[in-house]
Amino acid sequence: GVTPPADDRTRQVFAEAIARAQVQLADAQLEGFLTLEVPAQLDLTKARALSETAFKLFYTQLSTDGARLLQSYAEVKKAGDPRWTLMAAARSGMVSETASNALTRTAAPAGLSTEQRTAYCGALDSFSAEPRNMARATYAYCVEKGAEQGLSDEPIVSFCRDRLALYPEPTEAG
């Protein structure tokens, strides 16, 4: 590694440059992640094996690429720059939100009975719950840390606040 400079101002500039570079490198990978699409026209009756394989490959890539991106953005915090840490948190929320939305928006395969369709959609909802909860938690972190750092008016904190509003805390039924 590189030894950080001794004076405070140069150390801040150094931390900002490192954090910005880390976000930009992760952002290059984020672009590909955002283009992942669920395989079209899944058919569990006529082409079950092919459809299951296609969906498993998609899910594996979504999970693997998402985890890699989350790790890359988590590394930004170590640089110690508050604004770029908030940017990385917002991007992490986007990764989790994208994964949740991809699963939630997966169309039920052709040929399913009503009962099978309900079970399939329930399973997708279950799979999408974890990344949805991660998105909520990450956006909340961004908003909270922005407030703690006196950065509540920063555009990235406003972005996180707006995204968080889309994911209210679940309420207990009953």
Side-chain angles (χ1 to χ4, degrees):
V2 176
T3 304
D7 67 284
D8 287 344
R9 178 65 190 133
T10 307
R11 194 170 27 254
Q12 287 174 338
V13 170
F14 181 80
E16 179 187 0
I18 295 296
R20 179 183 329 139
Q22 289 174 313
V23 168
Q24 289 172 337
L25 287 170
D27 281 354
Q29 302 302 312
L30 177 62
E31 290 179 23
F33 181 80
L34 294 174
T35 65
L36 291 176
E37 293 185 23
V38 178
Q41 300 175 345
L42 296 175
D43 186 336
L44 297 179
T45 55
K46 296 178 185 167
R48 183 180 189 96
L50 182 60
S51 291
E52 286 178 353
T53 299
F55 186 81
K56 285 177 186 174
L57 288 171
F58 161 76
Y59 185 77
T60 298
Q61 185 172 7
L62 184 75
S63 300
T64 303
D65 291 357
R68 190 176 311 118
L69 278 165
L70 291 174
Q71 181 60 41
S72 294
Y73 287 123
E75 292 291 319
V76 174
K77 186 176 180 181
K78 293 178 185 175
D81 183 84
R83 283 182 173 84
W84 285 103
T85 297
L86 295 174
M87 183 69 71
R91 296 293 204 279
S92 293
M94 289 171 59
V95 168
S96 297
E97 183 177 1
T98 298
S100 177
N101 289 345
L103 294 169
T104 300
R105 293 180 182 149
T106 300
L112 296 180
S113 68
T114 302
E115 183 179 300
Q116 291 170 322
R117 182 178 297 273
T118 300
Y120 180 84
C121 291
L124 284 178
D125 187 55
S126 185
F127 276 114
S128 68
E130 182 181 348
R132 183 175 48 248
N133 291 337
M134 287 175 59
R136 178 188 309 113
T138 306
Y139 291 138
Y141 170 88
C142 177
V143 171
E144 290 166 17
K145 291 300 176 184
E148 287 175 16
Q149 297 288 331
L151 301 171
S152 291
D153 293 334
E154 290 287 317
I156 197 63
V157 177
S158 294
F159 170 83
C160 289
R161 196 177 302 110
D162 291 346
R163 300 313 297 168
L164 182 59
L166 298 176
Y167 296 96
E169 285 289 331
T171 58
E172 293 294 321

